[in-house]
């Protein structure tokens, strides 16, 4: 009996016999599985895209609240962690948000010290309420203070010391000359950085130079441009500057929210 090959596909591929082989096309069941799988992938891809749009909007809103509250020239970068973000938004709180801001201007008129770079990790960031503020249940942050900015604030040249946790401070005056001292750096109350255990490293500590260094190092320097609710826990000296580490609970970023 003659058998039709309409339901078979001819594949010109070397094999046995006459060098050709007939391969059966996918069955209806297999085709249905493929269609369902493709549809599910399309739904998932679409869901991820919608969730990413929601995350981008949340990131933009948080960045604006921080920029308005801290007065940065550029909007900070913000990343919302976790998936799906839509569920977090529906619950009114984002699980974790990372933020990085640069060049936060100094507050106050007494030895103003800007923050060169601020990295912030926020847990439980509330998404409801005013559009120009953001509230987090807990926060960890690191403020990087470049030696150039510290030098400008203190009025003496500051650089990394030879020992961990210490800096060198060089005072210069015309005719009198230069003197370099070493000082230990530590966290002080009121979100301030203290310089203690001062000792002469190079040069002669003449009275005019001593007066200049006393003015620069005797009183702790305040960090007046970090959000209220953050508390300075430790400071570390690096090759390029000082890292000041903060923690806080129930922290709100809003206009005029920087520490006094």
């Amino acid at each position: 009996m003659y058998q039709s090959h309409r339901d078979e596909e001819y594949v010109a591929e070397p094999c046995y016999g006459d060098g050709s082989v007939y391969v059966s096309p996918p069955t209806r069941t297999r085709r249905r599985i493929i269609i369902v799988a493709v549809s599910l992938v399309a739904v998932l891809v679409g869901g991820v895209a919608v969730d990413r749009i929601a995350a981008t909007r949340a990131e933009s809103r948080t960045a604006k609240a921080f920029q308005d509250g801290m007065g940065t020239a550029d909007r900070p970068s913000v990343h919302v962690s976790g998936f799906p973000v839509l569920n977090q938004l529906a619950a009114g709180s984002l699980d974790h948000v990372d933020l990085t801001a640069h060049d936060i201007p100094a507050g106050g008129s007494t030895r103003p010290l800007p923050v060169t770079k601020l990295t912030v990790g926020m847990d439980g960031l509330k998404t409801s309420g005013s559009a120009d503020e953001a509230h987090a249940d807990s926060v960890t942050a690191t403020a990087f203070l470049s030696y150039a900015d510290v030098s400008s604030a203190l009025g003496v040249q500051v650089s990394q010391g030879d020992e961990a946790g210490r800096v060198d401070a060089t005072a210069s005056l015309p005719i009198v000359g230069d003197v370099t001292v070493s000082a230990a750096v530590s966290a002080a109350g009121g979100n301030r950085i203290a310089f203690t255990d001062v000792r002469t490293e190079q040069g002669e500590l003449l009275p005019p130079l001593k007066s200049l260094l006393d003015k620069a190092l005797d009183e702790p320097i305040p960090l007046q441009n970090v959000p209220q609710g953050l508390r300075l826990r430790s400071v570390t000296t690096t090759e390029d500057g000082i890292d000041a580490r903060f923690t806080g609970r129930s922290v709100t970023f809003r206009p005029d929210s920087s520490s006094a």
Side-chain angles (χ1 to χ4, degrees), residues 21-174:
V21 64
Y22 289 96
V23 180
S24 298
T27 64
R28 289 183 177 178
T29 300
R30 290 175 60 193
R31 285 197 296 269
R32 287 172 182 166
I33 293 175
I34 292 172
I35 292 172
V36 171
V38 170
S39 299
L40 287 175
V41 169
V43 170
L44 289 174
V45 170
V48 170
V50 171
D51 198 74
R52 188 58 248 175
I53 291 172
T56 299
R57 289 177 177 174
E59 290 165 353
S60 177
R61 176 173 174 169
T62 302
K64 182 182 184 303
F66 186 92
Q67 184 181 27
D68 292 345
M70 302 309 301
T72 58
D74 298 320
R75 186 164 294 191
S77 63
V78 177
H79 176 70
V80 175
S81 301
F83 180 86
V85 174
L86 282 171
N87 288 3
Q88 299 177 48
L89 291 172
S93 177
L94 297 172
D95 294 341
H96 184 81
V97 177
D98 291 304
L99 179 148
T100 301
H102 296 269
D103 301 322
I104 302 174
S109 57
T110 304
R111 299 194 299 173
L113 176 59
V115 172
T116 311
K117 178 182 178 182
L118 182 68
T119 56
V120 183
M122 297 172 280
D123 293 322
L125 182 67
K126 299 299 184 291
T127 58
S128 57
S130 174
D132 63 353
E133 70 176 38
H135 179 85
D137 291 338
S138 64
V139 176
T140 58
T142 298
F144 171 71
L145 315 166
S146 71
Y147 286 131
D149 286 336
V150 175
S151 299
S152 296
L154 296 181
V156 295
Q157 189 63 41
V158 179
S159 60
Q160 184 181 29
D162 292 335
E163 301 177 26
R166 299 186 70 89
V167 296
D168 287 342
T170 300
S172 302
L173 286 175

Side-chain angles (χ1 to χ4, degrees), residues 216-241:
L217 304 177
D218 273 1
E219 290 295 325
I221 185 168
L223 298 177
Q224 298 173 316
N225 47 353
V226 294
Q228 288 182 358
L230 290 183
R231 293 292 176 265
L232 180 61
R233 302 303 183 185
S234 65
V235 292
T236 305
T237 58
T238 70
E239 181 180 356
D240 301 313

